[in-house]
Amino acid sequence: MAWRHRSPITGVWACYPCPVPSPSPTIRRIAHLDMDAFYASVELLRYPQLKDLPVVIGGGRANVAAALEVLRQQAAEDAPELEWDAAAQRAALRRIPIDAFARLADYTGRGVITTATYAARQFGVGSAMGLMKAAKLCPQAILLPVDFEEYRRYSRLFKSIITEIAPLMEDRGVDEVYIDFTDVPGGQREGGRVLARLIQKAILDATGLTCSVGVAPNKLLAKMASEFNKPRGISIVFEADVPTKVWPLACRKINGIGPKADEKLKRFGIETIGQLAERDLQWLMDTFGQRTGAWLHAASHGQDDRPVVTESEPVSLSRETTFERDLHAVRDRAELGAVFTRLCEQVAADLQRKGYVGKTIGIKLRYDDFSGVTRDLTVEQYTDDAKTIRQLAGQCLKRAPLQKKLRLLGVRVGALANRADLPGLIAKSALQAVDSAGAAPELIAVNGELF
């Protein structure tokens, strides 16, 4: 038997042999699939002339737009009868001269890198790094604009290919998923390598994109394994491999251990997962709290019983922006107020478009020294109203220090529920949203501190 798939991009049918089920006993096999430098790889499909060059994503569109205009004028002169439609423009992108692209060395501003090609990463450039800092490390890197619509399109494509082969898939973002291989034909063969290879090839044939796959007994180990052989790698981990493949790794390799937890572990001389596994369960609970300590003990031994969740509701929706220059709450009040209002309107539009309402409104601030705070407020009734969100988020701002200049501002709505499930429980105003036993919110700036 064979599995056939038609590429949504090329329209070409491809035929793949179905993996033969393994006669060996079934054991739990969970895969973590991570697309390789996803955003950058999608851009290289559009600009193949940039292959193997250092490229970072996060710039503006001016250079590309100017180069396209030059090509449009040339086309109008050479073949005026041809239409300059979307197909012609896509073809023209592949002909843009390398010298026409923006260079990181010429960038000025406050932007950050969304992602970078592996050629750029060799210079120490990576995601979330400031573009100005990256310019010092790799000034020759080519700077491309972000195109989230295109990334989402390719995200839907590769995920649809996966679910045709292995239907139990958990969506973890635009470029990564968990897949339950356990009962899928080929999911047990060579520990899951046969099925992983099939999925890799199907995605590559249909999209031109590569991915890395880790297969293990659970999600925790699978996510670690997917990083072992990037790019285009397949890594297989069994429970017996934990001492040799996992314990030598730094504690930060455990998904869930962040910088603060890692710093605390290091103060106790714990730098590797193996050193963490040597610690007594009771000591970990006494030191980090009962719940966190128990989780650290289980994670260090490669234990994780979380299922692959095929459908899930979002916990919150948010919008945020990083300013081109640092803004002060008093001196730049008008500008900040306009941005704040726009963010609230965008979050409200997201809620309405997706059919959600929420009753926890929060703000996120990052200061010019890169420190940050969050504040939130939970009210009695749900809302998806922009004005209500704006008013309640303003109350959160009153509880945040605003003496330092701001680098980033964000608005979040949490405790979400489906709008259709809550008739009569949705607030139309901030006054209606707050608990009737509580005080009405003050909606106007006090002492010039709020915007």
Side-chain angles (χ1 to χ4, degrees), residues 149-160:
E149 183 177 347
E150 187 75 348
Y151 308 150
R152 285 190 287 267
R153 186 172 77 88
Y154 273 95
S155 179
R156 291 190 294 269
L157 284 176
F158 87 77
K159 289 169 186 173
S160 68

Side-chain angles (χ1 to χ4, degrees), residues 183-218:
D183 296 317
V184 180
Q188 298 288 329
R189 293 185 61 197
E190 300 179 22
R193 186 181 300 277
V194 171
L195 184 57
R197 193 182 297 124
L198 170 65
I199 291 174
Q200 271 189 333
K201 187 176 190 309
I203 291 174
L204 179 63
D205 289 349
T207 69
L209 300 170
T210 67
C211 62
S212 295
V213 185
V215 190
N218 55 55

Side-chain angles (χ1 to χ4, degrees), residues 72-327:
R72 185 194 67 79
Q73 294 176 7
Q74 291 176 352
E77 294 174 1
D78 298 340
E81 71 281 2
L82 296 180
E83 184 178 356
W84 185 252
D85 56 11
Q89 292 179 46
R90 283 195 299 271
L93 291 174
R94 307 167 73 90
R95 303 197 307 273
I96 294 177
I98 293 176
D99 291 341
F101 290 96
R103 287 301 198 277
L104 199 51
D106 300 323
Y107 177 83
T108 57
R110 302 293 302 277
V112 297
I113 292 176
T114 303
T115 191
T117 61
Y118 288 102
R121 295 181 189 187
Q122 294 177 0
F123 293 88
V125 172
S127 301
M129 178 181 289
L131 287 166
M132 294 288 284
K133 179 179 179 181
K136 297 178 181 178
L137 298 174
C138 188
Q140 74 274 25
I142 289 169
L143 184 58
L144 293 178
V146 178
D147 186 350
F148 288 113
E149 183 177 347
E150 187 75 348
Y151 308 150
R152 285 190 287 267
R153 186 172 77 88
Y154 273 95
S155 179
R156 291 190 294 269
L157 284 176
F158 87 77
K159 289 169 186 173
S160 68
I161 293 165
I162 292 171
T163 53
E164 288 183 12
I165 302 172
L168 294 181
M169 182 193 78
E170 179 177 334
D171 194 331
R172 294 302 300 170
V174 70
D175 62 349
E176 63 175 313
V177 298
Y178 289 106
I179 315 165
D180 194 333
F181 275 17
T182 306
D183 296 317
V184 180
Q188 298 288 329
R189 293 185 61 197
E190 300 179 22
R193 186 181 300 277
V194 171
L195 184 57
R197 193 182 297 124
L198 170 65
I199 291 174
Q200 271 189 333
K201 187 176 190 309
I203 291 174
L204 179 63
D205 289 349
T207 69
L209 300 170
T210 67
C211 62
S212 295
V213 185
V215 190
N218 55 55
K219 291 160 74 170
L220 179 85
L221 293 176
K223 186 170 179 65
M224 283 193 241
S226 67
E227 296 287 333
F228 288 171
N229 293 309
K230 268 189 165 290
R232 302 189 181 198
I234 296 177
S235 300
I236 307 299
V237 174
F238 293 95
E239 289 184 8
D241 297 324
V242 170
T244 57
K245 294 185 177 181
V246 175
W247 284 356
L249 302 175
C251 291
R252 283 293 304 275
K253 292 296 184 180
I254 295 178
N255 186 37
I257 294 183
K260 291 184 178 179
D262 188 50
E263 183 180 341
K264 185 173 182 180
L265 287 168
K266 287 180 177 177
R267 289 202 297 268
F268 292 105
I270 302 172
E271 297 193 2
T272 68
I273 299 174
Q275 290 171 335
L276 179 60
E278 292 174 353
R279 293 298 178 122
D280 180 69
L281 171 60
Q282 190 60 51
W283 181 87
L284 287 170
M285 291 194 295
D286 292 342
T287 306
F288 293 91
Q290 185 169 356
R291 183 176 178 179
T292 301
W295 175 78
L296 286 170
H297 185 267
S300 67
H301 288 85
Q303 299 168 4
D304 177 21
D305 58 2
R306 292 174 299 158
V308 171
V309 180
T310 57
E311 294 183 8
S312 62
E313 298 287 347
V315 177
S316 65
L317 291 175
S318 63
R319 288 285 188 137
E320 62 182 44
T321 187
T322 300
F323 306 122
E324 288 294 322
R325 62 180 180 88
D326 298 330
L327 300 180

